[in-house]
Amino acid sequence: MFQINKETNEITQIEARLFGDLGFREREHLQEWIAKNPDALGEDLLIIQKEFSGFSDTNERLDLLALDKDKNLVVIENKLDDTGRDVVWQALKYVSYCSRLSTSQIVRIYQQYLDATGASVDARTSIFEFLEIEDDLDLVLNDKDQRIILVANHYRKEVTSTVLWLLDHEIQIQCFKATPYSIGDNLLLNIEQIIPVPEASEFIIDLKEKAKEDRGKSQRVAETEAQLLKFWKEVKAKLTERGVKHLDNVSPRPRYYLGFGSGRARFNMVIGRTAPRIELYFTHDEDKSNFDAITRYKEDLDRLFGGRLEWQRLEGKKASRVKYEASPSEMQAMGEWTSWDSGDAQVDWYVRELPRFYDLIFPLWESARSSS
């Protein structure tokens, strides 16, 4: 890795380091960084417990426990400079323990975590906001297979070999390589997924979707997920054709949104209940500092978007957003919105509006972020 000096038109090598040499520790540092910034793992995750030890007949503790947007439990195990030989076995034990957790138990575990951190937040409400659901009937957690995420600087061959075998047998496991770098007195951290490689993730998702259908999943749900996956693949492909690179490292999934991160914010394309939208979304904005920062440019942005932006501070909630929905005339051109397969109008709206939304808002967001 190199640092670019635009003034001298030169590059300076940034030295890869070891965590131990820099005095960093597993629980005090790497674990805390991920707990506070789970999006460093390339997706939206809700951390619901840290050093969880609530297993019967054992004193073992898993590093981090999280929920993903598909309501799955995610076990995150962190190692520093070397995984050791037993990290996979350790993680498999933890997911086997977690497989028995019910929705009510998970809510209670998360509430204990929130109470321990001093957060005056209701766990159930927080989960509703994270999953973007409104009905208790939709709050069914941990009804699918659990996931494993391993984070380390170096992976032994016996570890990677086992991980690849587990992937072949449809165990949801990912490996991230965490590397600290130094340049002068400045320290940097790079976290990248190495197994499965991002290019292969989409293929693996396809296989899992087929496997779900083969296991007798309801036809309605299976068809909806297949439509969503197909829809977002078409959106990504057309954006790529136009030279838009924002989603290069993002794998479409059968969800109602697709997006990418930018610092403390996300730019999302969302299939709304009544209309498609694009939004600047702040997931962790309890004090509304991110939202307040971008509102410095509200007058300019409202003018650029013809007054069609909706500024949602979402008082009392963790998140906030600035959203832009399709107009009634654009909706009319799309036809039946929720079918996702009635033509190219829906895809074309996202392909047209995402680059415009990003290009107009991102420079102002960068300015707001740097001055906040």
Side-chain angles (χ1 to χ4, degrees):
M1 184 182 293
F2 293 82
Q3 182 185 48
I4 301 172
N5 188 320
K6 295 175 67 175
E7 294 181 0
T8 63
N9 196 29
E10 295 178 347
I11 58 175
T12 303
Q13 187 167 13
I14 301 176
E15 182 185 359
R17 304 289 299 276
L18 294 176
F19 287 108
D21 293 343
L22 296 170
F24 291 125
R25 298 184 179 182
E26 183 179 305
R27 290 185 177 176
E28 294 176 32
H29 299 105
L30 183 59
Q31 179 174 289
E32 287 299 314
W33 298 337
I34 295 173
K36 294 175 181 176
N37 300 277
D39 55 350
L41 300 177
E43 63 177 298
D44 285 338
L45 294 171
L46 179 67
I47 302 298
I48 63 171
Q49 192 52 268
K50 182 168 57 178
E51 295 192 29
F52 179 56
S53 59
F55 306 127
S56 301
D57 303 322
T58 176
N59 293 321
E60 293 177 291
R61 296 172 178 263
L62 64 82
D63 292 341
L64 294 170
L65 185 63
L67 273 178
D68 68 15
K69 287 287 190 175
D70 291 327
K71 308 177 188 177
N72 300 319
L73 282 178
V74 184
V75 169
I76 305 172
E77 280 298 297
N78 310 300
K79 302 297 178 184
L80 281 179
D81 296 317
D82 189 287
T83 58
R85 294 184 175 88
D86 300 324
V87 63
V88 178
W89 165 236
Q90 188 177 28
L92 287 171
K93 286 191 294 183
Y94 294 152
V95 292
S96 73
Y97 302 154
C98 290
S99 67
R100 304 182 183 93
L101 294 176
S102 66
T103 296
S104 60
Q105 288 175 313
I106 293 168
V107 173
R108 185 165 62 250
I109 288 166
Y110 183 32
Q111 190 64 64
Q112 292 170 350
Y113 174 66
L114 292 171
D115 293 344
T117 59
S120 302
V121 178
D122 176 68
R124 182 175 292 269
T125 300
S126 179
I127 292 173
F128 268 57
E129 292 175 1
F130 173 72
L131 297 175
E132 298 184 81
I133 59 177
E134 298 178 1
D135 196 323
D136 271 318
L137 294 176
D138 294 326
L139 190 60
V140 180
L141 308 176
N142 201 29
D143 64 335
K144 304 175 185 176
D145 282 342
Q146 297 70 43
R147 297 173 51 198
I148 299 171
I149 292 179
L150 306 178
V151 183
N153 177 264
H154 171 71
Y155 286 84
R156 299 192 183 196
K157 288 184 179 180
E158 56 262 53
V159 171
T160 55
S161 176
T162 305
V163 167
L164 292 170
W165 185 89
L166 290 170
L167 281 170
D168 285 341
H169 289 76
E170 300 182 19
I171 303 299
Q172 299 184 74
I173 185 168
Q174 296 164 275
C175 295
F176 285 80
K177 181 178 175 64
T179 308
Y181 291 87
S182 66
I183 180 167
D185 294 330
N186 296 318
L187 297 178
L188 307 171
L189 178 66
N190 183 53
I191 299 179
E192 59 180 336
Q193 182 176 324
I194 59 171
I195 300 177
V197 293
E199 291 79 5
S201 297
E202 194 169 312
F203 175 69
I204 291 170
I205 290 169
D206 288 343
L207 292 179
K208 289 178 180 177
E209 291 308 306
K210 183 179 183 301
K212 288 177 183 177
E213 294 179 17
D214 293 342
R215 287 196 298 267
K217 194 171 183 178
S218 78
Q219 188 66 26
R220 180 181 60 82
V221 173
E223 288 178 355
T224 298
E225 292 190 347
Q227 287 175 332
L228 286 168
L229 191 59
K230 177 176 179 289
F231 180 81
W232 289 126
K233 284 183 178 181
E234 291 178 2
V235 171
K236 180 178 177 180
K238 285 198 173 184
L239 284 168
T240 301
E241 288 175 6
R242 289 188 52 176
V244 179
K245 303 293 186 182
H246 305 312
L247 300 175
D248 280 1
N249 294 320
V250 177
S251 295
R253 297 190 178 189
R255 298 174 179 170
Y256 286 87
Y257 75 97
L258 181 68
F260 56 94
S262 175
R264 291 170 287 179
R266 287 186 58 83
F267 287 86
N268 289 330
M269 298 176 287
V270 183
I271 298 175
R273 294 183 178 179
T274 58
R277 72 174 183 265
I278 296 172
E279 62 186 17
L280 178 67
Y281 189 80
F282 304 109
T283 305
H284 303 290
D285 198 24
E286 292 89 342
D287 61 1
K288 307 304 176 185
S289 58
N290 296 319
F291 183 85
D292 292 343
I294 192 62
T295 54
R296 299 171 195 169
Y297 300 98
K298 183 178 185 300
E299 185 176 340
D300 294 334
L301 287 170
D302 283 340
R303 184 178 64 256
L304 290 169
F305 286 91
R308 287 174 54 190
L309 291 179
E310 292 186 45
W311 298 79
Q312 298 183 326
R313 201 167 190 267
L314 303 180
E315 299 291 351
K317 297 185 177 181
K318 293 175 65 176
S320 58
R321 65 161 68 93
V322 181
K323 74 175 187 178
Y324 177 77
E325 285 191 339
S327 67
S329 61
E330 290 171 328
M331 287 295 298
Q332 188 174 4
M334 292 179 197
E336 182 62 29
W337 166 241
T338 55
S339 69
W340 309 304
D341 59 359
S342 58
D344 293 331
Q346 302 99 321
V347 172
D348 292 341
W349 187 85
Y350 285 118
V351 172
R352 180 178 67 251
E353 297 298 334
L354 175 66
R356 188 172 81 92
F357 184 88
Y358 178 84
D359 291 344
L360 291 175
I361 289 185
F362 178 73
L364 298 181
W365 164 238
E366 281 285 275
S367 178
R369 181 172 62 175
S370 62
S371 60
S372 61

